[in-house]
Amino acid sequence: TTDLQTAQPALDHCYTALAKGMHIVSANKGPIALAYPDLLARAGKVGKQVLFEATVMAGTPSLRLAMQALAGATISEARGILNGTTNYILTQMEGGMSYAHALAQAQSLGYAEADPTADVEGWDAASKVLILGTALFGKQLRLSDMNVRGISHLTSDDIEAARAAGERWKLIARVTPQGGTVEPLRIPVTHPLASVGGATNAVTYVTDMLGEVTLVGAGAGRRQTGFALLSDLLDLHRLGV
């Protein structure tokens, strides 16, 4: 379970692993969101790695793209759809469903928990903003410092007004070296993120060398998360460490 207040007990498990000379491969967002610089420093002292691909967009290699494939570019911003539950609800509402009905359907399909607060109020996406901020920019953000708003206040009228203007509501998470936000925004239907429907996730990296680079893929799921853990283990194998 992810704890975004203390990151415990997962953080203590990470400290213990490093103290015993083990690498860290984690799908738990808490330790990375709250203590990544400390974990990195401790890992460096013992010659070990801290890998956490599974914490953002599950098996879709969002972090690997930013930290490895785009290593030669300067990333000035990351923004995207980082929560599948809210994206599914918004997609269903655009098809004419009410918020309450769309949420109930998301719960029945296993996209949303019985208590959907973390998803629909933006806190799950915010935890991923914390991770992107510290991993990409060395910026240790705090939830209390961020503007975080969810989608529970959106109505069918809001959805229709956006449609009439050639726009679409999306819950957009954004992070720069200056800070991060999570908020529902109306974006033009021609924007790459506007075409991402259902429970799919997407992230756009704004770079100096390549302009905007957008990655679209699954953002959750047991198999997908397991794949991310496997990809980190394969990285360790390739490094020969």
Side-chain angles (χ1 to χ4, degrees), residues 71-129:
T74 297
I75 297 174
S76 58
E77 177 185 342
R79 62 175 178 269
I81 298 166
L82 300 181
N83 180 267
T85 300
T86 50
N87 202 48
Y88 178 83
I89 290 171
L90 290 173
T91 300
Q92 297 304 97
M93 288 180 71
E94 192 166 356
M97 202 174 284
S98 69
Y99 171 81
H101 188 185
L103 172 57
Q105 191 173 84
Q107 289 171 318
S108 70
L109 291 170
Y111 295 149
E113 302 290 338
D115 179 359
T117 303
D119 289 321
V120 300
E121 298 303 339
W123 297 110
D124 174 71
S127 70
K128 295 161 188 174
V129 168

Coordinates of all heavy atoms in Angstrom, one line a residue, residues 71-129:
A71 N 17.9 11.2 -22.5 CA 19.0 11.7 -21.7 C 19.8 12.8 -22.3 O 20.4 13.7 -21.6 CB 19.9 10.6 -21.2
G72 N 19.9 12.8 -23.6 CA 20.7 13.9 -24.3 C 20.0 15.2 -24.5 O 20.5 16.1 -25.1
A73 N 18.7 15.2 -24.1 CA 17.9 16.4 -24.3 C 17.6 17.0 -22.9 O 17.6 16.3 -21.9 CB 16.6 16.1 -25.0
T74 N 17.3 18.3 -22.9 CA 16.8 18.9 -21.7 C 15.3 19.0 -21.7 O 14.7 19.5 -22.6 CB 17.3 20.4 -21.6 OG1 18.8 20.4 -21.5 CG2 16.8 21.1 -20.3
I75 N 14.7 18.3 -20.6 CA 13.2 18.3 -20.5 C 12.8 19.5 -19.6 O 13.3 19.7 -18.5 CB 12.8 17.0 -19.9 CG1 13.1 15.8 -20.8 CG2 11.3 17.0 -19.6 CD1 12.8 14.5 -20.2
S76 N 12.0 20.3 -20.1 CA 11.5 21.5 -19.4 C 10.2 21.3 -18.7 O 9.8 22.1 -17.8 CB 11.5 22.7 -20.3 OG 10.6 22.5 -21.4
E77 N 9.4 20.3 -19.2 CA 8.1 20.1 -18.7 C 7.6 18.7 -19.0 O 8.0 18.1 -20.0 CB 7.1 21.1 -19.3 CG 5.7 20.9 -18.8 CD 4.7 21.9 -19.6 OE1 5.2 22.9 -20.1 OE2 3.5 21.6 -19.6
A78 N 6.9 18.1 -18.1 CA 6.2 16.8 -18.3 C 4.7 17.1 -18.0 O 4.4 17.7 -17.0 CB 6.7 15.7 -17.5
R79 N 3.8 16.7 -18.9 CA 2.4 16.8 -18.6 C 1.6 15.7 -19.2 O 2.1 15.1 -20.3 CB 1.9 18.1 -19.2 CG 1.9 18.3 -20.7 CD 1.3 19.6 -21.1 NE 1.4 19.8 -22.5 CZ 2.4 20.5 -23.1 NH1 3.3 21.0 -22.4 NH2 2.4 20.6 -24.5
G80 N 0.6 15.3 -18.6 CA -0.1 14.1 -19.2 C -1.3 13.7 -18.4 O -1.8 14.3 -17.5
I81 N -1.9 12.6 -18.9 CA -3.0 11.9 -18.3 C -2.4 10.7 -17.5 O -2.0 9.7 -18.1 CB -4.0 11.4 -19.3 CG1 -4.5 12.6 -20.1 CG2 -5.1 10.6 -18.7 CD1 -5.2 12.2 -21.4
L82 N -2.4 10.8 -16.2 CA -1.6 9.9 -15.4 C -2.5 9.1 -14.5 O -2.0 8.4 -13.6 CB -0.5 10.6 -14.6 CG 0.5 11.3 -15.4 CD1 1.6 11.9 -14.5 CD2 1.2 10.4 -16.4
N83 N -3.8 9.2 -14.7 CA -4.8 8.4 -13.9 C -5.9 7.8 -14.8 O -6.6 8.5 -15.4 CB -5.4 9.2 -12.8 CG -6.4 8.4 -12.0 OD1 -7.6 8.4 -12.2 ND2 -5.9 7.7 -11.0
G84 N -5.9 6.5 -14.9 CA -6.8 5.8 -15.8 C -8.3 5.9 -15.4 O -9.2 6.0 -16.3
T85 N -8.5 5.9 -14.1 CA -9.9 5.9 -13.6 C -10.6 7.2 -14.1 O -11.7 7.2 -14.6 CB -9.9 5.8 -12.1 OG1 -9.3 4.6 -11.7 CG2 -11.3 5.9 -11.5
T86 N -10.0 8.3 -13.8 CA -10.6 9.6 -14.2 C -10.8 9.7 -15.7 O -11.7 10.3 -16.2 CB -9.8 10.8 -13.6 OG1 -8.4 10.7 -14.0 CG2 -9.9 10.9 -12.1
N87 N -9.8 9.2 -16.4 CA -9.9 9.3 -17.9 C -11.0 8.5 -18.4 O -11.7 8.9 -19.3 CB -8.5 8.9 -18.5 CG -8.4 9.5 -19.9 OD1 -8.6 10.7 -20.1 ND2 -8.0 8.7 -20.9
Y88 N -11.2 7.3 -17.8 CA -12.3 6.5 -18.2 C -13.7 7.2 -17.9 O -14.6 7.2 -18.8 CB -12.3 5.1 -17.4 CG -13.4 4.2 -17.7 CD1 -13.4 3.4 -18.9 CD2 -14.5 4.2 -16.9 CE1 -14.5 2.6 -19.2 CE2 -15.6 3.4 -17.2 CZ -15.6 2.6 -18.3 OH -16.6 1.7 -18.7
I89 N -13.8 7.8 -16.7 CA -15.0 8.4 -16.4 C -15.3 9.6 -17.3 O -16.5 9.7 -17.8 CB -14.9 9.0 -14.9 CG1 -14.9 7.8 -13.9 CG2 -16.1 9.9 -14.6 CD1 -14.6 8.2 -12.5
L90 N -14.3 10.4 -17.6 CA -14.5 11.5 -18.6 C -14.9 11.0 -20.0 O -15.7 11.6 -20.6 CB -13.3 12.4 -18.6 CG -12.9 13.2 -17.4 CD1 -11.6 13.8 -17.5 CD2 -14.0 14.2 -17.1
T91 N -14.3 9.9 -20.4 CA -14.6 9.4 -21.7 C -16.1 8.9 -21.7 O -16.8 9.2 -22.7 CB -13.7 8.2 -22.1 OG1 -12.4 8.6 -22.1 CG2 -14.1 7.6 -23.4
Q92 N -16.5 8.2 -20.7 CA -17.9 7.8 -20.6 C -18.9 9.0 -20.5 O -20.0 8.9 -21.1 CB -18.1 6.9 -19.4 CG -17.3 5.6 -19.5 CD -17.6 4.8 -20.7 OE1 -16.9 4.9 -21.7 NE2 -18.6 4.0 -20.7
M93 N -18.5 10.0 -19.8 CA -19.4 11.2 -19.7 C -19.5 11.8 -21.0 O -20.6 12.3 -21.4 CB -18.8 12.2 -18.6 CG -19.0 11.7 -17.2 SD -18.3 12.9 -16.0 CE -19.5 14.2 -16.1
E94 N -18.5 11.8 -21.8 CA -18.6 12.4 -23.2 C -19.5 11.6 -24.0 O -20.1 12.2 -25.0 CB -17.2 12.5 -23.8 CG -17.2 13.4 -25.0 CD -15.8 13.8 -25.5 OE1 -14.8 13.4 -24.8 OE2 -15.6 14.4 -26.5
G95 N -19.7 10.4 -23.7 CA -20.6 9.5 -24.5 C -22.1 9.7 -24.0 O -22.9 8.9 -24.5
G96 N -22.3 10.5 -23.0 CA -23.6 10.8 -22.5 C -23.9 10.3 -21.1 O -25.0 10.5 -20.6
M97 N -23.0 9.6 -20.5 CA -23.2 9.0 -19.1 C -23.1 10.1 -18.1 O -22.3 11.0 -18.2 CB -22.2 7.9 -18.9 CG -22.6 6.9 -17.9 SD -21.4 5.5 -17.9 CE -21.9 4.6 -19.3
S98 N -23.8 10.0 -17.0 CA -23.6 10.9 -15.9 C -22.3 10.6 -15.1 O -21.8 9.4 -15.2 CB -24.8 10.8 -14.9 OG -24.8 9.6 -14.2
Y99 N -21.9 11.5 -14.3 CA -20.7 11.3 -13.5 C -20.9 10.1 -12.6 O -20.0 9.2 -12.5 CB -20.3 12.5 -12.7 CG -19.2 12.2 -11.7 CD1 -17.8 12.2 -12.0 CD2 -19.5 12.0 -10.3 CE1 -16.8 12.0 -11.1 CE2 -18.5 11.7 -9.4 CZ -17.2 11.7 -9.8 OH -16.2 11.4 -8.9
A100 N -22.0 10.0 -11.9 CA -22.3 9.0 -10.9 C -22.3 7.6 -11.6 O -21.8 6.6 -11.1 CB -23.6 9.2 -10.2
H101 N -23.0 7.5 -12.8 CA -23.1 6.3 -13.5 C -21.7 5.8 -14.0 O -21.3 4.6 -13.9 CB -24.0 6.4 -14.6 CG -24.4 5.1 -15.4 ND1 -25.1 5.1 -16.5 CD2 -24.0 3.8 -15.1 CE1 -25.2 3.8 -16.9 NE2 -24.5 3.0 -16.1
A102 N -20.9 6.8 -14.5 CA -19.6 6.5 -15.0 C -18.7 6.0 -13.9 O -17.9 5.0 -14.1 CB -19.0 7.7 -15.7
L103 N -18.8 6.6 -12.7 CA -18.0 6.2 -11.6 C -18.4 4.8 -11.2 O -17.5 3.9 -10.9 CB -18.1 7.2 -10.4 CG -17.5 6.7 -9.1 CD1 -16.0 6.5 -9.3 CD2 -17.8 7.8 -8.0
A104 N -19.6 4.5 -11.1 CA -20.1 3.2 -10.7 C -19.6 2.1 -11.7 O -19.2 1.0 -11.3 CB -21.6 3.2 -10.6
Q105 N -19.6 2.5 -13.0 CA -19.1 1.5 -14.0 C -17.6 1.3 -13.8 O -17.2 0.2 -14.0 CB -19.5 2.0 -15.4 CG -19.2 1.0 -16.5 CD -19.7 1.5 -17.8 OE1 -19.0 2.2 -18.5 NE2 -20.9 1.1 -18.2
A106 N -16.9 2.4 -13.6 CA -15.5 2.2 -13.3 C -15.2 1.3 -12.1 O -14.2 0.5 -12.2 CB -14.8 3.6 -13.1
Q107 N -16.0 1.4 -11.1 CA -15.8 0.6 -9.9 C -16.1 -0.9 -10.3 O -15.4 -1.8 -9.9 CB -16.7 1.1 -8.8 CG -16.2 2.4 -8.2 CD -17.2 3.0 -7.2 OE1 -18.4 3.0 -7.4 NE2 -16.6 3.5 -6.1
S108 N -17.2 -1.1 -11.0 CA -17.6 -2.4 -11.4 C -16.5 -3.1 -12.3 O -16.3 -4.3 -12.2 CB -18.9 -2.4 -12.1 OG -18.8 -1.9 -13.4
L109 N -15.8 -2.3 -13.0 CA -14.7 -2.9 -13.9 C -13.4 -3.0 -13.2 O -12.4 -3.5 -13.8 CB -14.6 -2.0 -15.2 CG -15.8 -2.0 -16.1 CD1 -15.6 -0.9 -17.2 CD2 -15.9 -3.4 -16.8
G110 N -13.3 -2.5 -12.0 CA -12.1 -2.6 -11.2 C -11.1 -1.5 -11.4 O -10.0 -1.5 -11.0
Y111 N -11.5 -0.5 -12.2 CA -10.7 0.7 -12.4 C -10.6 1.6 -11.2 O -9.6 2.2 -10.9 CB -11.2 1.5 -13.6 CG -11.1 0.8 -14.9 CD1 -12.1 1.1 -15.9 CD2 -10.1 -0.1 -15.2 CE1 -12.0 0.5 -17.2 CE2 -10.1 -0.7 -16.5 CZ -11.1 -0.4 -17.4 OH -11.0 -1.0 -18.6
A112 N -11.7 1.7 -10.5 CA -11.8 2.5 -9.3 C -12.1 1.7 -8.0 O -12.7 0.7 -8.1 CB -13.0 3.6 -9.4
E113 N -11.5 2.2 -6.9 CA -11.7 1.5 -5.6 C -13.1 1.8 -5.1 O -13.8 2.7 -5.6 CB -10.6 2.0 -4.6 CG -9.2 1.8 -5.1 CD -8.8 0.3 -5.1 OE1 -9.4 -0.5 -4.3 OE2 -7.8 0.0 -5.7
A114 N -13.5 1.1 -4.0 CA -14.7 1.3 -3.4 C -14.8 2.8 -2.9 O -15.8 3.5 -2.9 CB -14.9 0.4 -2.2
D115 N -13.6 3.2 -2.3 CA -13.4 4.7 -2.0 C -12.6 5.3 -3.1 O -11.4 5.1 -3.1 CB -12.8 4.8 -0.7 CG -12.6 6.3 -0.3 OD1 -12.9 7.2 -1.1 OD2 -12.0 6.6 0.8
P116 N -13.2 6.0 -4.1 CA -12.5 6.4 -5.2 C -11.8 7.8 -5.0 O -11.3 8.4 -6.0 CB -13.6 6.6 -6.3 CG -14.7 7.0 -5.5 CD -14.6 6.3 -4.1
T117 N -11.7 8.3 -3.8 CA -11.3 9.7 -3.5 C -9.9 9.9 -4.1 O -9.7 11.0 -4.8 CB -11.2 9.9 -2.0 OG1 -12.5 9.7 -1.5 CG2 -10.8 11.4 -1.8
A118 N -8.9 9.0 -3.9 CA -7.6 9.2 -4.4 C -7.5 9.5 -5.9 O -6.7 10.3 -6.4 CB -6.6 8.1 -4.0
D119 N -8.4 8.7 -6.6 CA -8.4 8.9 -8.1 C -9.2 10.1 -8.5 O -8.6 11.0 -9.2 CB -9.1 7.7 -8.7 CG -8.2 6.4 -8.6 OD1 -7.0 6.5 -8.8 OD2 -8.8 5.3 -8.4
V120 N -10.4 10.2 -8.1 CA -11.3 11.3 -8.7 C -10.9 12.7 -8.2 O -11.3 13.7 -8.8 CB -12.8 11.0 -8.4 CG1 -13.2 9.7 -9.1 CG2 -13.1 11.0 -7.0
E121 N -10.3 12.8 -7.0 CA -9.9 14.1 -6.5 C -8.4 14.5 -6.9 O -7.9 15.5 -6.5 CB -10.0 14.2 -5.0 CG -11.5 14.0 -4.5 CD -12.5 15.0 -5.1 OE1 -12.0 16.0 -5.6 OE2 -13.7 14.7 -5.1
G122 N -7.8 13.6 -7.7 CA -6.5 14.0 -8.3 C -5.3 13.6 -7.5 O -4.1 13.8 -7.9
W123 N -5.4 12.9 -6.3 CA -4.3 12.6 -5.5 C -3.4 11.5 -6.0 O -2.1 11.6 -5.9 CB -4.7 12.3 -4.1 CG -5.4 13.4 -3.4 CD1 -6.8 13.5 -3.1 CD2 -4.9 14.7 -3.1 NE1 -7.1 14.7 -2.6 CE2 -5.9 15.5 -2.6 CE3 -3.6 15.2 -3.2 CZ2 -5.7 16.8 -2.1 CZ3 -3.4 16.5 -2.7 CH2 -4.4 17.3 -2.2
D124 N -3.9 10.5 -6.7 CA -3.1 9.5 -7.4 C -2.2 10.1 -8.4 O -1.0 9.9 -8.5 CB -4.0 8.4 -8.0 CG -3.1 7.4 -8.8 OD1 -2.4 6.6 -8.1 OD2 -3.2 7.4 -10.0
A125 N -2.8 11.0 -9.3 CA -2.0 11.7 -10.3 C -1.0 12.6 -9.7 O 0.2 12.7 -10.2 CB -2.9 12.5 -11.2
A126 N -1.3 13.2 -8.5 CA -0.4 14.1 -7.9 C 0.8 13.3 -7.4 O 2.0 13.8 -7.4 CB -1.1 14.8 -6.7
S127 N 0.6 12.1 -6.9 CA 1.8 11.3 -6.4 C 2.8 11.0 -7.6 O 4.0 11.0 -7.3 CB 1.3 10.0 -5.8 OG 0.8 9.1 -6.8
K128 N 2.2 10.9 -8.8 CA 3.1 10.7 -9.9 C 3.8 12.0 -10.3 O 5.0 11.9 -10.8 CB 2.3 10.1 -11.1 CG 1.8 8.7 -10.7 CD 0.6 8.2 -11.6 CE 0.0 6.9 -11.0 NZ -1.2 6.5 -11.8
V129 N 3.2 13.1 -10.1 CA 3.8 14.4 -10.3 C 5.0 14.5 -9.3 O 6.1 15.0 -9.7 CB 2.9 15.6 -10.1 CG1 3.6 16.9 -10.0 CG2 1.8 15.6 -11.2

